């Protein structure tokens, strides 16, 4: 393993590049152009952060077999909403959620659900971010079945 003050061996460089390439494939499949834009924006300020987001975040975590991509995006949307102040990341991940098969209705339902746990202001900010993304993708208005169309639950 590379330690401070030492040079990386050729094997370490190759492994590092392979982890990045694997993560980049996952990032591209999930986030598309939006993910690439984030990584590109880090190039002149923190290329190592960009590398870690791709190699570790997507190559190691997002590619794990325990959850489907759509489920990972639901978790991500909930966490970013709860954290607050993450609207740029929410923008990317709302797009990603759509890319992996979540519907606008499911995304809005998840953001509504988050209000119970993190409060209305954060849920509102997330919902307005979703509205912006949906508008950009021509997905407004988002419609839901009327209360009369939904069966009542016990």
């Amino acid at each position: 393993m590379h330690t401070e003050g030492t040079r990386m061996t050729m094997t370490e460089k190759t492994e590092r590049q392979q982890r990045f390439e694997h993560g980049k494939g996952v990032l591209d499949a999930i986030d598309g152009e939006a993910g690439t834009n984030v990584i590109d924006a880090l190039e002149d300020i923190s290329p190592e952060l960009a590398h870690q987001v791709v190699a570790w975040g997507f190559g190691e975590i997002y590619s794990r077999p325990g959850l489907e991509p759509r489920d990972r995006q639901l978790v991500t949307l909930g966490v970013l909403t709860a954290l607050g102040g993450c609207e740029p990341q929410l923008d990317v991940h709302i797009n990603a959620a759509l890319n992996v098969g979540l519907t606008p209705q499911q995304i809005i339902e998840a953001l509504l659900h988050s209000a119970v746990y993190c409060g209305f202001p954060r849920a509102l900010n997330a919902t307005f971010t979703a509205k912006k993304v949906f508008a950009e993708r021509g997905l407004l208005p988002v419609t839901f079945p009327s209360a009369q169309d939904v069966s009542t639950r016990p």
Side-chain angles (χ1 to χ4, degrees), residues 92-143:
V92 170
H93 285 283
I94 290 165
N95 273 294
L98 292 165
N99 293 345
V100 298
L102 287 168
T103 66
Q105 292 83 359
Q106 291 168 323
I107 292 168
I108 294 302
E109 192 64 33
L111 300 178
L112 174 62
H113 184 75
S114 71
V116 174
Y117 298 95
C118 64
F120 284 111
R122 290 183 176 172
L124 284 164
N125 290 343
T127 300
F128 287 128
T129 301
K131 181 178 182 177
K132 175 185 159 292
V133 170
F134 297 162
E136 292 168 354
R137 292 179 73 151
L139 299 173
L140 290 176
V142 177
T143 58

Side-chain angles (χ1 to χ4, degrees), residues 29-31 68-71 73 95-102:
I30 293 171
D31 285 350
E68 294 298 318
R70 66 178 307 283
D71 300 328
Q73 286 305 318
N95 273 294
L98 292 165
N99 293 345
V100 298
L102 287 168

Side-chain angles (χ1 to χ4, degrees), residues 1-64:
M1 188 63 162
H2 176 68
T3 58
E4 189 69 31
T6 63
R7 292 193 170 164
M8 292 178 75
T9 67
M10 187 57 92
T11 301
E12 288 171 327
K13 287 179 185 178
T14 301
E15 289 174 2
R16 179 178 166 86
Q17 184 60 33
Q18 288 172 340
R19 285 193 307 272
F20 182 86
E21 288 171 7
H22 172 68
K24 185 71 167 84
V26 176
L27 173 70
D28 290 346
I30 293 171
D31 285 350
E33 185 179 331
T36 299
N37 291 343
V38 171
I39 300 310
D40 290 348
L42 289 168
E43 193 58 37
D44 64 351
I45 184 72
S46 185
E48 184 59 23
L49 179 57
H51 178 86
Q52 294 302 324
V53 166
V54 173
W56 185 73
F58 285 86
E60 298 290 328
I61 302 302
Y62 265 85
S63 63
R64 291 179 53 81

